[in-house]
Amino acid sequence: MANEEAKSVTDTDRTVDQLSSGGVMFRVQDLDLYYGNFQALKKINIEIPARKVTAFIGPSGCGKSTLLRCFNRMNDLIDDVRIEGKILLGDRDIKDANMDVVRLRTEVGMVFQSPNPFPMSIYDNVTYGLRCQGIKDKALLDEVVESSLKKAALWNEVKDDLGKNAVKLSGGQQQRLCIARAIALQPTVILMDEPTSALDPVATGKIEDLMETLKEDYTIIIVTHSMNQAARISDKTAFFYLGDLIEYGDTDRVFSKPADPRTEAYITGRFG
Amino acid sequence: MTNDRRTLDALTNKRGMNNQRRLADGIKDFITYLSTSLSVLVLGAVFVFVLTRGWQTLSWDMITGDFWGGNFKVNFTETLPGTFTAPGSLPQDAYFSEKYGFAVRDDKNHEKKDIMVLLYLDPESPLKTSVGATAGPTLDQPLSAGIGAEIRKITYVNDDGAKKSAGLLGKQNAEQMVFTLDTQSVSVDSMDFQSSGGGIRGSLAATLMLIGITLVIALPIGVFAAIYLHEIAGKGKITKMIRAAIEMLNGVPSIIFGLMGMTVFFPLTRLFGATTPNILLGGITMTVVLLPVIIRQTEEALITVPDKLRMGSLSLGATKTQTIFKVVLPNALPGILSAGLLSISRIIGESAALIYTMGTFVVDRPQLNGRATTLAVQIWSVMSGEQPNFELASAISILILLMVLVLNVSVKMITASLNKKWKE
Ligand SMILES: Nc1ncnc2c1ncn2[C@@H]1O[C@H](COP(=O)(O)OP(=O)(O)OP(=O)(O)O)[C@@H](O)[C@H]1O
Ligand SMILES: [Mg+2]
């Protein structure tokens, strides 16, 4: 299959099981993160399971996005950020100075809050990541485009006009295109920061269904403000408050028997 | 709400603020209106003034004609006849030379004296290959008679190898001259003619050459500097200092750049065979003048490219350089284009920086490594002589105003479309 080839071309003969030791994808140990003098994350310890959907919830400003950005080192782009502690992907600390960040980002894809397709054709959007890796084989790219768009449940809507400028798609289609774009690189992890907050219920439903199928192949971490969404689609839920990880466990358990009164207050909508 | 209202009223009434405020507002409004109408008035006055003085002079002949009218003697580098066919568009009274590919007719000048006017010159005609034969700046420079030039004499070589004269100075009219040349000549040797002059072709060409040279040097440097400042350099002190320095360059009077160009860059242009101020030197100097503008404008364009696109690109495993060249630059292109257009209008309007670096001597056939004037400098040049040619200066001004107007409107349109693109 095309995707298998893509893997070999991008020089990643990794598998989810190899990367994650004992079904754990990321192991975060004593993570502190500072924006200047402000500490946004405090001694975070969390294990993200492989091939599961993990939801990060918590009131605005509690550090969900900040932690999410640690997993693909997007925090590097922000000036004046200081990070202490460890984030292990398999046995590698991705914070390591000699970590190949560009390579890491092909392994750990990201979908942003507001859809951000490039103002180029749908085809070029999907193949962007591979082209950046130097892949030019047209047949291979064609196959990746088809399989990625199919996985992102967008293929049927756009297959007749792959040359269409992506910014002309609807918001929901754009977001699915962004997911397809990330999938095209065959990542092991997909990070999603409030991927449906800019979408209507129908488009949201489509993306939620999509995650259900994607988690068979990928590890998904999603930040969401919707308790319903977290309860519906995630296997694990982590509740953050003011930079602290307050509670982390199976979603069913967290929502039915929250251990911390702050978690209970938040999920029942009494604050945040 | 109502409570606030009442206290405010009480306060203002007590202090008599209302009248005072009305007066203050009135004065400020008046000053605003006055200033606005003053600027509009001045702009209108400039246009009317220039238009009335220059309109008559403005013509296609003036745009395409030489500046230096006068008597010329030229030698031909190509002397042998060929076979030419007359163009269909010649008037009845024109005489066409099939051997040399030109057409003339008899006419009278405003002093009622007989003249013979050149009507047509085949691109392949030997007469095209003329070089100046009189001592002066045009000696041995290409100097072709333009359409409308008065031909006075053409010297030819006959069967016996003797040089003979045909034309008015040989007491021949157009018909006789063409007949003589076509029947008796073996080759042509030289020509005397009088061109009308007062044209701006040389300056127009020099202006275009200067624009080309400057953009070729300045755009890449400016764009890459902007990319460095906005996309690559951190937001540290050094970046700030560089940016402040660039901003400051913007305020330096351009004549200082002219002085600098003359002393610092002139040796550089010597490598290209320059012995006098020259267009290349002007271009290098204008590059320095324009860099702040281009850098600034490009940065503005880079700012309009949304960060989420950069993030998207980087999150897909693109390197910073790939992100810049595949995503950021294509989206900043309209802005860079408008930087180019703004630069062009600055070049057209510049004079001070060019006086030292390109000279003020109007040259009809400018070359990159030789003296030349731009249109703006030609205005200065024709006005500073013993007999200022106000009409020509005004005509050139009209052209400059038109060009700058078109350029600025284009920039406005590009900016507007750029802003709309990301609004959604
Ligand atoms: N680039 C930055 N520079 C400085 N402080 C930042 C930066 N980004 C985030 N912060 C701060 O870090 C804290 C956590 O921010 P973060 O964006 O991670 O919150 P969040 O949980 O994602 O909130 P939301 O639900 O509103 O997206 C906030 O207090 C925020 O002000
Ligand atoms: Mg967030």
Side-chain angles (χ1 to χ4, degrees):
Chain A
M1 220 189 88
N3 293 331
E4 306 300 329
E5 284 174 56
K7 258 188 187 172
S8 59
V9 182
T10 51
D11 169 38
T12 48
D13 48 344
R14 59 196 192 259
T15 67
V16 174
D17 299 315
Q18 272 177 333
L19 276 175
S20 52
S21 41
V24 176
M25 182 56 71
F26 286 111
R27 229 181 276 274
V28 178
Q29 293 170 351
D30 291 335
L31 187 78
D32 287 311
L33 186 145
Y34 304 84
Y35 291 117
N37 291 325
F38 173 74
Q39 185 168 11
L41 293 175
K42 299 166 190 163
K43 285 272 169 292
I44 304 291
N45 282 284
I46 193 171
E47 288 188 349
I48 309 289
R51 287 191 168 137
K52 292 264 171 11
V53 177
T54 304
F56 288 179
I57 61 170
S60 194
C62 65
K64 307 178 294 291
S65 302
T66 301
L67 179 58
L68 198 70
R69 283 198 298 266
C70 288
F71 294 122
N72 67 344
R73 297 247 322 237
M74 288 299 267
N75 283 323
D76 290 12
L77 308 175
I78 301 169
D79 291 328
D80 219 10
V81 175
R82 192 157 50 84
I83 309 178
E84 281 156 19
K86 282 186 174 170
I87 307 167
L88 300 171
L89 171 62
D91 51 4
R92 295 172 294 167
D93 186 353
I94 64 171
K95 279 175 54 265
D96 220 34
N98 46 27
M99 176 83 202
D100 183 349
V101 181
V102 167
R103 166 93 177 271
L104 171 73
R105 291 186 185 140
T106 65
E107 295 177 29
V108 183
M110 189 171 219
V111 176
F112 297 79
Q113 179 170 0
S114 70
N116 57 350
F118 305 126
M120 44 176 100
S121 71
I122 294 172
Y123 186 95
D124 287 348
N125 263 279
V126 179
T127 56
Y128 183 85
L130 291 176
R131 284 186 288 124
C132 283
Q133 301 298 315
I135 296 171
K136 294 198 182 79
D137 180 354
K138 181 85 168 68
L140 173 66
L141 292 178
D142 285 351
E143 279 190 61
V144 172
V145 167
E146 181 169 347
S147 67
S148 306
L149 286 172
K150 274 181 176 159
K151 276 194 188 158
L154 187 61
W155 176 248
N156 285 333
E157 290 158 63
V158 300
K159 65 175 178 225
D160 297 324
D161 194 4
L162 293 175
K164 180 172 170 168
N165 193 327
V167 295
K168 296 215 172 89
L169 295 171
S170 75
Q173 289 175 323
Q174 288 187 7
Q175 196 61 305
R176 274 178 285 152
L177 177 64
C178 291
I179 293 173
R181 191 170 74 174
I183 291 174
L185 277 165
Q186 284 292 296
T188 50
V189 184
I190 303 176
L191 310 172
M192 300 187 174
D193 194 348
E194 303 181 45
T196 59
S197 67
L199 306 180
D200 68 32
V202 178
T204 301
K206 281 194 178 160
I207 298 218
E208 286 180 3
D209 293 345
L210 181 58
M211 272 183 265
E212 201 61 38
T213 51
L214 287 179
K215 78 173 179 190
E216 289 165 16
D217 297 320
Y218 308 96
T219 301
I220 296 175
I221 309 177
I222 179 171
V223 172
T224 178
H225 276 278
S226 155
M227 292 309 103
N228 278 333
Q229 187 170 61
R232 239 186 346 254
I233 62 168
S234 70
D235 305 294
K236 291 268 193 177
T237 297
F239 171 67
F240 296 86
Y241 184 60
L242 296 177
D244 283 309
L245 173 58
I246 304 294
E247 185 161 355
Y248 179 50
D250 289 338
T251 300
D252 292 344
R253 207 270 302 149
V254 171
F255 277 86
S256 57
K257 282 199 239 47
D260 195 288
R262 287 168 294 186
T263 314
E264 184 176 5
Y266 182 72
I267 58 181
T268 53
R270 276 189 276 121
F271 80 86
Chain B
M1 191 61 210
T2 40
N3 234 343
D4 289 353
R5 185 74 243 162
R6 214 174 300 136
T7 44
L8 191 65
D9 283 349
L11 219 65
T12 48
N13 279 340
K14 199 162 82 198
R15 297 194 187 161
M17 270 291 263
N18 263 343
N19 286 334
Q20 215 176 315
R21 186 161 74 182
R22 215 170 284 148
L23 186 67
D25 284 359
I27 292 175
K28 282 175 195 154
D29 285 352
F30 178 71
I31 294 175
T32 316
Y33 297 145
L34 193 70
S35 319
T36 314
S37 41
L38 208 66
S39 352
V40 173
L41 221 70
V42 169
L43 188 71
V46 169
F47 266 102
V48 170
F49 179 73
V50 165
L51 267 179
T52 48
R53 301 301 290 264
W55 189 248
Q56 297 278 311
T57 315
L58 196 63
S59 71
W60 187 246
D61 282 344
M62 170 227 157
I63 293 173
T64 56
D66 284 350
F67 176 70
W68 296 108
N71 296 316
F72 294 101
K73 182 176 178 64
V74 291
N75 292 326
F76 302 115
T77 52
E78 194 66 51
T79 55
L80 294 178
T83 334
F84 295 93
T85 41
S89 56
L90 283 182
Q92 286 290 315
D93 53 351
Y95 294 94
F96 181 76
S97 159
E98 286 169 358
K99 259 180 158 171
Y100 298 102
F102 71 92
V104 286
R105 82 161 164 214
D106 296 314
D107 208 339
K108 287 194 193 300
N109 68 7
H110 49 265
E111 290 162 6
K112 305 275 182 237
K113 280 170 90 173
D114 284 332
I115 57 172
M116 192 192 300
V117 180
L118 185 65
L119 286 181
Y120 170 79
L121 195 54
D122 193 282
E124 301 292 321
S125 166
L127 270 58
K128 270 260 173 191
T129 65
S130 42
V131 291
T134 17
T138 59
L139 181 64
D140 288 337
Q141 295 293 312
L143 181 63
S144 169
I147 304 305
E150 299 169 21
I151 308 277
R152 293 156 147 263
K153 180 177 87 174
I154 293 179
T155 309
Y156 65 94
V157 181
N158 69 8
D159 294 335
D160 307 330
K163 283 188 184 176
K164 296 274 181 185
S165 292
L168 283 176
L169 294 184
K171 303 259 184 286
Q172 291 181 319
N173 62 17
E175 183 181 9
Q176 290 160 335
M177 182 182 85
V178 168
F179 181 76
T180 313
L181 285 176
D182 277 3
T183 53
Q184 294 171 26
S185 74
V186 176
S187 64
V188 281
D189 176 66
S190 64
M191 174 167 77
D192 288 35
F193 68 92
Q194 184 173 17
S195 69
S196 38
I200 60 165
R201 182 178 66 178
S203 296
L204 198 59
T207 307
L208 295 179
M209 287 159 90
L210 180 68
I211 289 171
I213 283 275
T214 309
L215 290 189
V216 163
I217 307 174
L219 264 188
I221 299 179
V223 169
F224 280 103
I227 288 175
Y228 174 77
L229 283 178
H230 190 258
E231 304 285 326
I232 298 170
K235 296 194 169 53
K237 272 213 178 84
I238 298 178
T239 318
K240 258 192 200 140
M241 261 169 53
I242 296 176
R243 194 169 277 130
I246 291 171
E247 291 283 303
M248 229 126 87
L249 276 186
N250 220 347
V252 175
S254 50
I255 192 141
I256 293 177
F257 288 119
L259 274 173
M260 185 187 88
M262 187 174 71
T263 50
V264 179
F265 296 131
F266 179 63
L268 203 67
T269 62
R270 266 223 269 257
L271 299 176
F272 295 88
T275 52
T276 56
N278 58 81
I279 300 181
L280 192 61
L281 185 57
I284 298 173
T285 308
M286 281 313 288
T287 297
V288 181
V289 175
L290 288 176
L291 271 182
V293 182
I294 295 176
I295 293 176
R296 180 70 189 274
Q297 200 71 18
T298 308
E299 270 206 83
E300 296 287 329
L302 294 176
I303 288 169
T304 64
V305 178
D307 253 349
K308 63 179 191 178
L309 292 186
R310 294 184 182 85
M311 296 288 182
S313 170
L314 291 168
S315 78
L316 288 168
T319 62
K320 200 154 196 172
T321 313
Q322 285 174 324
T323 302
I324 291 171
F325 282 91
K326 285 176 188 253
V327 173
V328 179
L329 266 192
N331 286 295
L333 221 51
I336 295 169
L337 184 68
S338 74
L341 293 182
L342 268 183
S343 308
I344 294 178
S345 84
R346 273 291 293 271
I347 297 170
I348 292 174
E350 183 59 56
S351 53
L354 301 176
I355 288 175
Y356 293 138
T357 52
M358 280 171 58
T360 56
F361 181 77
V362 181
V363 175
D364 283 321
R365 277 151 202 83
Q367 291 187 313
L368 272 187
N369 58 4
R371 288 175 190 277
T373 52
T374 63
L375 291 174
V377 178
Q378 188 176 0
I379 294 183
W380 187 86
S381 197
V382 300
M383 289 303 290
S384 60
E386 300 240 305
Q387 287 176 316
N389 187 343
F390 204 87
E391 278 64 37
L392 180 58
S394 298
I396 300 174
S397 305
I398 295 175
L399 283 179
I400 292 180
L401 285 175
L402 276 179
M403 291 182 200
V404 172
L405 191 76
V406 169
L407 285 168
N408 285 2
V409 169
S410 320
V411 171
K412 281 259 152 33
M413 272 158 51
I414 292 170
T415 315
S417 75
L418 196 69
N419 286 340
K420 214 164 66 192
K421 187 166 161 198
W422 299 116
K423 276 256 175 68
E424 292 166 83

